[in-house]
């Protein structure tokens, strides 16, 4: 059964007269996703998976099945000069009915306030149907830049998220221009850092060159805003992969998770746990990342990688193939897909696979390294030695990390244990990140107890068993005594004022009668009555309907007329809740009542 506290925000549709506003729509969607992701108990589908459905016609059933969410948001944006109209609707993915639809007519200059207003509106109305979630007073902080620059920034984000070399370069160019106009705006620096890091990781630029270009922008962003979720996440990467300090890496990742629990943070924590060899815990965090972003290629790759590390090669291969289906240019899956075939004893099949690689996998040595591993397994000594010699030529280039990785793996397959440890020491002395993923490698099992290997691993990754995650939870807003007292008060208010007859009644309205914040009343309904707002109110409405429908004075009215008089404002909602509560349809109930 789908978790009710799950939601996806599909890309808002641009219905403006100009295609240039496409990036504006994407930016609003992304900001609402980020805002809702700050709500601790709400599982929000990440951007990658939500935008998988951009410009696609899709049913509620498909959204539920593919994203595993109970609810989703659709919207549209029309911009005309300085005015914008944003229409938002919330849809029950399981029963395919609209909870509500709302239109916001606002000035473009109020974009930050509008994003916060819409995010809060969605969160508060969602809470009325799914039960208690704690909502902060503000979900979107206004950025300290003029709206004109912010619109340029959204244009840069639009190109950055389209990926590819040309789009990323275009995005960096836009962000560079924004930095000239707004040098204290940290987001532009973070996004340039992201752009260069992406190109280095994907082989679109030499990794060493790309990371060197990225570093100053990250440092400037951290100077301007060290405490944002993205800054904390970047700091966690630096502490792990550059400083080899897992304790601090976990601390920064935990800080980011507290601010905004997103899939890339769960993936990052999974990475750190993998470094420690805690593969079951790593898979738990990775599954969380996949739940939030099931269409992210990197998440599927890492699931396959974890199966590979656990030597479950048959299970690894489908995930690695899925990753390549989603992103054929992702450089990591081909390595472990080919090695998984090799470790399954399918050496010739693995050789054919590595030989078929084109493009990025040729540039990053995967084809050469993979074939050399296969020759080692097939005892084709001459071809293997030729491959080793060619790999060694890359030890003085920007591809030293990948060259050393394959040299280590090939020599391990050949049983050259002392040579393997020499190469690992070379990697350690050069502070190469590959050191951190050697410990759990199944191919290196024969040297796990080698004295020098253990010494290197201990220097690189000290015992971190004490670095456990401890998620911080706030104390309950209301005590048990207060819940009992306010439950009694609420029941009396409902009897006295019959608030449920108001079809537009909201959780905030109910809270005003109790003189409590909405967060408290949400918890009160959840713990005191084991119901969400919609269930609590609609039970009263159903009882009201049952009382009214048998009255002689209402005999000429239709069922829906009586339902509307009882406080319902939707036929679908009425029928759904009535059957859920009574177990039969309203028509059947009426027939039974007349028969009696």
């Amino acid at each position: 059964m789908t978790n009710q506290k799950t939601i996806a925000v599909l890309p808002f549709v641009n219905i403006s007269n100009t295609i240039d506003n496409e990036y504006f729509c994407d930016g609003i969607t992304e900001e609402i996703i980020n805002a809702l992701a700050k709500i601790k108990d709400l599982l929000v589908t990440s951007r990658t998976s939500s935008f998988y459905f951009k410009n696609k016609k899709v049913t509620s059933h498909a959204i539920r099945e593919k994203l595993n969410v109970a609810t989703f948001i659709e919207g549209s944006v029309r911009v005309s000069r300085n005015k914008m109209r944003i229409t938002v609707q919330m849809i029950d993915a399981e029963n395919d009915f609209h909870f509500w639809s709302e239109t916001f007519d606002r000035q473009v200059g109020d974009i930050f306030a509008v994003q916060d207003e819409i995010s809060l509106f969605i969160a508060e109305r969602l809470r009325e149907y799914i039960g208690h979630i704690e909502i902060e007073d503000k979900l979107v902080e206004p950025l300290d830049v003029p709206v004109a620059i912010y619109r340029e920034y959204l244009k840069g984000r639009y190109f950055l998220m389209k990926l590819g070399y040309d789009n990323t370069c275009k995005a960096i160019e836009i962000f560079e221009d924004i930095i000239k106009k707004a040098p204290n705006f940290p987001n532009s620096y973070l996004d340039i850092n992201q752009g260069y890091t992406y190109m280095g990781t994907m082989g679109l630029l030499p990794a060493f060159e790309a990371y060197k270009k990225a570093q100053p922008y990250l440092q400037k962003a951290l100077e301007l805003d060290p405490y944002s979720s993205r800054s904390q996440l970047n700091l966690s990467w630096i502490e792990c992969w550059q400083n080899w300090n897992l304790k601090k890496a976990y601390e920064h990742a935990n800080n980011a998770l507290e601010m905004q629990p997103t899939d890339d943070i769960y993936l990052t924590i999974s990475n750190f746990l993998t470094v420690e060899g805690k593969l079951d815990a790593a898979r738990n965090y990775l599954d969380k990342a996949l739940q939030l972003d099931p269409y992210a290629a990197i998440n599927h790759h890492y699931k396959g990688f974890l199966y590979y590390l656990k030597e479950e090669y048959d299970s690894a291969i489908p995930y690695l193939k899925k990753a390549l289906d989603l992103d054929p240019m992702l450089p990591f899956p081909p390595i472990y897909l080919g090695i998984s075939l090799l470790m399954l004893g399918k050496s010739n099949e693995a050789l054919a696979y590595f030989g078929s690689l084109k493009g990025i996998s040729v540039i990053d040595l995967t084809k050469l390294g993979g074939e050399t591993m296969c020759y080692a397994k097939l005892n084709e000594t001459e071809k293997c030695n030729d491959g080793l010699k060619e790999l060694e030529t890359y030890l003085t280039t920007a591809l030293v990390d990948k060259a050393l990785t394959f040299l280590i793996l090939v020599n391990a397959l050949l049983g050259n244990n002392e040579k393997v440890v020499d190469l690992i020491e070379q990697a350690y002395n050069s502070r190469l990140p590959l050191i951190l993923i050697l410990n759990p490698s199944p191919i290196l099992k024969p040297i796990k107890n080698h004295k020098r290997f253990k010494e290197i691993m201990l220097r690189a990754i000290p015992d971190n068993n004490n670095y456990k995650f401890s998620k911080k939870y706030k104390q309950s807003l209301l005590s048990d005594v207060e819940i009992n007292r306010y439950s009694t008060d609420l029941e009396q208010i409902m009897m006295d004022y019959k608030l449920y007859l108001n079809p537009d009644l909201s959780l905030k309205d109910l809270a005003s009668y109790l003189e409590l914040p909405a967060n408290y009343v949400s918890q009160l309904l959840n713990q005191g009555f084991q119901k969400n707002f919609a269930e609590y109110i609609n039970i009263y409405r159903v009882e009201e309907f049952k009382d009214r429908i048998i009255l002689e004075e209402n005999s000429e009215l239709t069922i829906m007329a009586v339902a509307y008089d009882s406080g319902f404002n939707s036929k679908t909602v009425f029928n759904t809740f009535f059957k859920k509560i009574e177990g039969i349809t309203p028509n059947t109930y009426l027939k039974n009542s007349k028969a009696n």
Side-chain angles (χ1 to χ4, degrees):
M1 182 177 176
T2 304
N3 184 341
Q4 289 302 297
K5 295 183 179 180
T6 51
I7 188 170
V9 183
L10 299 190
F12 283 21
V13 178
N14 173 30
I15 56 173
S16 304
N17 293 327
T18 169
I19 193 66
D20 290 340
N21 278 312
E22 192 76 15
Y23 60 83
F24 191 64
C25 295
D26 286 0
I28 290 174
T29 307
E30 186 174 359
E31 197 58 56
I32 291 173
I33 291 172
N34 291 336
L36 294 177
K38 295 175 183 176
I39 300 172
K40 295 292 190 296
D41 296 322
L42 192 61
L43 298 177
V44 184
T45 299
S46 294
R47 184 193 192 280
T48 305
S49 290
S50 288
F51 274 72
Y52 179 82
F53 296 95
K54 185 177 172 68
N55 299 325
K56 295 178 182 177
K57 290 185 178 180
V58 62
T59 64
S60 297
H61 176 77
I63 293 293
R64 186 181 83 247
E65 292 297 313
K66 294 179 181 297
L67 297 182
N68 194 26
V69 293
T71 309
F72 65 96
I73 300 294
E74 289 182 334
S76 63
V77 182
R78 181 189 298 276
V79 178
S80 178
R81 296 185 180 178
N82 293 323
K83 295 182 179 180
M84 59 182 172
R85 167 169 286 190
I86 302 175
T87 301
V88 185
Q89 53 189 355
M90 187 168 80
I91 301 162
D92 181 312
E94 186 169 357
N95 298 304
D96 192 24
F97 72 84
H98 291 58
F99 286 114
W100 50 261
S101 179
E102 192 75 16
T103 299
F104 301 83
D105 289 314
R106 302 290 188 271
Q107 296 292 317
V108 172
D110 297 329
I111 182 60
F112 303 128
V114 173
Q115 287 172 342
D116 187 51
E117 179 186 2
I118 293 174
S119 300
L120 284 170
F121 185 85
I122 291 170
E124 287 167 356
R125 296 304 298 271
L126 181 64
R127 177 168 60 182
E128 295 175 358
Y129 286 92
I130 67 172
H132 178 63
I133 51 175
E134 190 171 339
I135 304 169
E136 300 294 334
D137 293 335
K138 202 168 193 62
L139 293 176
V140 178
E141 292 294 337
L143 300 177
D144 189 21
V145 290
V147 170
I149 289 180
Y150 177 65
R151 293 188 70 168
E152 277 299 299
Y153 170 71
L154 292 182
K155 188 173 184 179
R157 286 289 300 176
Y158 174 80
F159 284 107
L160 184 68
M161 301 312 293
K162 285 176 75 69
L163 305 179
Y165 179 82
D166 291 338
N167 285 322
T168 306
C169 289
K170 175 68 174 175
I172 290 173
E173 182 183 331
I174 293 170
F175 295 137
E176 290 277 19
D177 187 55
I178 291 173
I179 286 172
K180 293 175 185 174
K181 300 172 185 175
N184 294 323
F185 181 43
N187 293 30
S188 297
Y189 298 97
L190 282 170
D191 285 318
I192 292 177
N193 171 74
Q194 181 180 331
Y196 279 125
T197 301
Y198 159 75
M199 289 197 287
T201 303
M202 295 297 152
L204 303 176
L205 284 177
F208 179 79
E209 174 191 338
Y211 298 154
K212 187 176 180 181
K213 286 183 175 181
Q215 187 62 25
Y217 292 99
L218 176 58
Q219 286 303 121
K220 183 62 177 177
L222 293 173
E223 288 173 19
L224 293 170
D225 185 10
Y227 300 111
S228 71
S229 176
R230 288 181 67 192
S231 294
Q232 288 293 308
L233 186 58
N234 277 305
L235 282 170
S236 75
W237 293 336
I238 290 172
E239 290 296 349
C240 179
W241 301 107
Q242 292 183 27
N243 299 340
W244 296 359
N245 188 329
L246 277 174
K247 181 179 180 181
K248 287 189 176 180
Y250 278 133
E251 287 175 357
H252 288 301
N254 197 19
N255 289 339
L257 192 65
E258 284 294 316
M259 296 175 194
Q260 193 170 349
T262 57
D263 73 292
D264 52 348
I265 301 174
Y266 285 113
L267 174 63
T268 297
I269 296 169
S270 184
N271 294 165
F272 299 165
L273 290 164
T274 303
V275 167
E276 291 192 88
K278 299 174 181 176
L279 302 184
D280 289 332
R283 192 162 67 180
N284 289 336
Y285 276 91
L286 193 275
D287 285 343
K288 196 77 169 177
L290 268 170
Q291 181 182 7
L292 293 174
D293 209 344
Y295 283 88
I298 191 64
N299 290 343
H300 286 275
H301 158 72
Y302 210 76
K303 185 70 175 276
F305 177 61
L306 287 174
Y307 276 121
Y308 159 77
L309 293 178
K310 290 172 72 69
E311 301 179 62
E312 298 176 26
Y313 305 115
D314 281 322
S315 298
I317 289 172
Y319 283 98
L320 297 168
K321 286 182 175 179
K322 176 67 173 179
L324 289 173
D325 287 342
L326 292 168
D327 184 358
M329 298 304 289
L330 196 64
F332 319 113
I335 301 172
Y336 299 103
L337 209 165
I339 296 178
S340 291
L341 291 170
L342 192 65
M343 300 304 284
L344 283 169
K346 302 176 181 180
S347 301
N348 287 311
E349 189 176 336
L351 181 62
Y353 175 75
F354 282 121
S356 71
L357 295 178
K358 298 176 182 178
I360 200 166
S361 297
V362 177
I363 299 168
D364 73 0
L365 304 186
T366 299
K367 183 176 187 293
L368 171 61
E371 287 178 330
T372 306
M373 290 181 70
C374 292
Y375 293 137
K377 269 283 196 181
L378 290 165
N379 296 316
E380 296 193 27
T381 307
E382 186 175 343
K383 289 182 179 179
C384 180
N385 287 335
D386 289 343
L388 285 170
K389 288 176 184 176
E390 188 174 350
L391 285 168
E392 287 172 353
T393 65
Y394 290 95
L395 291 177
T396 55
T397 71
L399 292 172
V400 58
D401 198 307
K402 192 61 69 69
L404 265 174
T405 297
F406 282 114
L407 284 169
I408 289 168
L409 295 177
V410 173
N411 278 285
L413 291 174
L414 292 171
N416 300 332
N417 292 350
E418 292 300 323
K419 177 67 173 177
V420 169
V421 178
D422 288 342
L423 290 166
I424 290 172
E425 187 143 31
Q426 183 179 339
Y428 175 84
N429 291 334
S430 300
R431 301 285 294 183
L432 296 179
L434 71 89
I435 284 291
L436 301 186
I437 58 171
L438 293 178
N439 189 47
S441 171
I443 294 177
L444 298 184
K445 283 176 74 175
I447 66 161
K448 289 294 174 69
N449 292 317
H450 190 289
K451 185 173 183 292
R452 273 202 299 146
F453 176 78
K454 290 172 72 174
E455 288 174 352
I456 295 169
M457 288 297 105
L458 191 60
R459 292 202 304 270
I461 315 166
D463 183 4
N464 285 287
N465 287 334
N466 294 324
Y467 307 153
K468 294 179 180 178
F469 259 92
S470 56
K471 190 166 181 179
K472 302 170 188 172
Y473 291 99
K474 292 186 177 180
Q475 286 186 329
S476 180
L477 299 174
L478 295 172
S479 68
D480 290 342
V481 172
E482 289 173 319
I483 286 175
N484 288 333
R485 176 161 60 86
Y486 283 117
S487 294
T488 302
D489 291 347
L490 180 57
E491 294 281 76
Q492 192 61 51
I493 287 170
M494 294 300 288
M495 296 295 293
D496 292 345
Y497 295 97
K498 294 196 173 186
L499 301 179
Y500 51 86
L501 293 179
N502 175 7
D504 298 317
L505 183 71
S506 69
L507 182 62
K508 277 189 171 182
D509 296 331
L510 196 61
S512 68
Y513 278 83
L514 282 169
E515 297 182 352
L516 287 173
N519 278 333
Y520 286 63
V521 178
S522 176
Q523 184 204 349
L524 173 65
L525 294 174
N526 205 225
Q527 291 183 226
F529 298 92
Q530 290 76 52
K531 293 184 173 51
N532 60 46
F533 171 82
E535 289 169 337
Y536 179 75
I537 296 301
N538 285 326
I539 285 173
Y540 278 98
R541 289 171 177 161
V542 166
E543 289 301 318
E544 184 74 16
F545 169 85
K546 287 161 60 180
D547 290 341
R548 289 179 179 239
I549 197 67
I550 59 175
L551 296 177
E552 183 64 31
E553 62 195 68
N554 292 329
S555 60
E556 299 300 319
L557 296 179
T558 64
I559 284 178
M560 279 314 301
V562 177
Y564 290 136
D565 288 343
S566 303
F568 286 99
N569 61 5
S570 161
K571 181 178 180 180
T572 307
V573 172
F574 167 63
N575 286 327
T576 301
F577 270 100
F578 192 94
K579 188 171 183 181
K580 181 178 179 181
I581 293 167
E582 296 296 324
I584 56 176
T585 66
N587 274 317
T588 302
Y589 177 83
L590 182 57
K591 289 176 183 177
N592 292 345
S593 298
K594 289 180 177 179
N596 294 332

